[in-house]
Amino acid sequence: MTDAAGLDARPWYAANEALAFLLELAALGFLSWWGFGAGHQGALRILLGVGTPLLAAVVWALFAAPRARLRPRLPLVLVVKALVFGAGAAALYGAGHPVAAGAVAVVTVTNTAVAEIFRAAPRTGAPSGLPGPGDHA
């Protein structure tokens, strides 16, 4: 089945979801990189380097993951995604890479918007196996 643009949506959906996963991992990596390089020594450095991405991962698992423990409505999921991805971009900025942080932010916003467009497609128009209205990652 084809989407409104006449393209088979399944490969685009899978590619966008793979990119989303890579962005999630990158955000955690950026948070860890920032934490370990934040200029602190000893226990605080370890706490920031390990604790910051761990906190982000726990929040993600509770509210934004495809099989989240708590299943909030889409607006709250998008807020959690914005916080985690935004923190990752801010961490990259804080690590001294403002251009890369801006690029990551733009790619993340675009990826999330495309994901929501796929999710909003009517179930009858979506290829089998794609989430329909109300489903979200």
Side-chain angles (χ1 to χ4, degrees):
M1 189 156 288
T2 58
D3 64 5
L7 299 172
D8 185 358
R10 202 166 307 154
W12 292 104
Y13 176 83
N16 197 62
E17 290 299 305
L19 177 59
F21 181 67
L22 292 174
L23 288 168
E24 293 163 21
L25 293 178
L28 296 177
F30 298 149
L31 288 168
S32 183
W33 184 17
W34 168 83
F36 281 116
H40 301 288
Q41 297 299 319
L44 184 56
R45 180 180 181 158
I46 294 169
L47 180 65
L48 290 174
V50 174
T52 306
L54 184 61
L55 177 62
V58 167
V59 169
W60 190 272
L62 287 174
F63 301 107
R67 293 188 178 112
R69 301 275 291 153
L70 306 172
R71 202 51 169 160
R73 293 192 175 270
L74 182 59
L76 182 56
V77 171
L78 293 176
V79 166
V80 169
K81 286 183 174 190
L83 288 173
V84 172
F85 285 134
L92 188 56
Y93 183 89
H97 299 280
V99 174
V104 166
V106 168
V107 170
T108 300
V109 168
T110 303
N111 173 263
T112 302
V114 168
E116 294 313 314
I117 289 168
F118 277 120
R119 283 175 191 67
R123 224 179 244 281
T124 57
S128 63
L130 291 182
D135 297 337
H136 48 81

